[in-house]
Amino acid sequence: MAVAAGVGGGFAAGYVGLVTGALPLDVGVGRRTRPLGPQAVDIEAPRDVVFGVIAQPYLGRAMRAMRAMRAMRAMREKVRVLEQGGDMVLAEHFTPVAAGWLTARTVETVRFDRPDRVGFRLVRGPVPAVVESFRLSEYEGGTRLEYAGEMGTDLWALGHWWGGVVAERWEATVAASLAAVKREAERRAPDR
């Protein structure tokens, strides 16, 4: 009985360690990759407005109105910039996972190629590798924001299973972010 509790407790500790980024697993053996996305949303706002909404939590440009500050507070609570350069930051991202008691933590580089791309590369997190991007393109009436990425996991079938668990939550978080960007960019659009 004690052995079973020890194994269960070890699994739980390993899970919490992986999710929170405290125990990153990058052994480079049995690496498999899987796509993330694609996801896309059409936004009735100019491309520079949409880009500004995405960049705001990272680049910290002064906001013009208190309403905008309140609207983006939720995003700022999910992102902490660790280092900032001209077109790239190192940022910590926090995502609630299990009924509010567990928060996933990732550390990622974020590169800004104004006005058409924001790229992310995982440095530390629940899987060994993630590369993803938001691409912005203009169309008549607004901006199309497209997300795509790739996730890499180690340890063959076990990693493939874990990647499926992580990818489901990862893509749901991206979908929520796209919806939030759409709402805020359309609110900020000059002709609305």
Side-chain angles (χ1 to χ4, degrees):
M1 186 75 107
V3 171
V7 170
F11 177 78
Y15 173 78
V16 170
L18 283 171
V19 168
T20 62
L23 179 67
L25 184 61
D26 186 355
V27 296
V29 176
R31 176 79 40 110
R32 292 183 180 196
T33 59
R34 64 177 295 141
L36 294 171
Q39 297 183 41
V41 62
D42 290 333
I43 302 172
E44 294 179 26
R47 184 166 57 166
D48 62 324
V49 171
V50 177
F51 191 95
V53 169
I54 296 167
Q56 174 59 45
Y58 303 102
L59 300 180
R61 303 257 195 291
M63 292 191 174
R64 295 187 180 131
M66 289 302 275
R67 184 174 171 202
M69 290 176 76
R70 285 191 303 273
M72 293 306 291
R73 181 174 294 128
M75 184 60 164
R76 286 194 317 271
E77 290 173 356
K78 295 178 182 180
V79 175
R80 183 171 67 134
V81 174
L82 303 172
E83 291 288 330
Q84 184 173 347
D87 67 346
M88 186 166 74
V89 299
L90 179 66
E92 225 173 1
H93 295 88
F94 304 94
T95 305
V97 175
W101 69 270
L102 184 61
T103 299
R105 185 182 131 226
T106 62
V107 177
E108 300 175 59
T109 60
V110 185
R111 180 173 300 277
F112 303 92
D113 298 317
R114 188 176 291 276
D116 53 11
R117 184 178 182 278
V118 179
F120 299 82
R121 182 175 296 275
L122 184 70
V123 174
R124 184 174 181 170
V127 295
V130 175
V131 177
E132 54 196 338
S133 67
F134 287 161
R135 293 196 180 273
L136 295 87
S137 58
E138 294 176 323
Y139 72 93
E140 187 175 320
T143 302
R144 172 160 274 220
L145 176 56
E146 297 176 276
Y147 166 82
E150 183 177 84
M151 176 182 290
T153 56
D154 290 346
L155 301 177
W156 302 281
L158 179 61
H160 180 73
W161 169 81
W162 178 245
V165 171
V166 173
E168 181 178 340
R169 181 63 184 181
W170 198 285
E171 290 184 321
T173 299
V174 168
S177 294
L178 292 175
V181 167
K182 176 179 173 68
R183 278 190 308 274
E184 181 60 15
E186 288 180 348
R187 190 195 65 74
R188 290 187 193 184
D191 60 345
R192 290 184 68 106

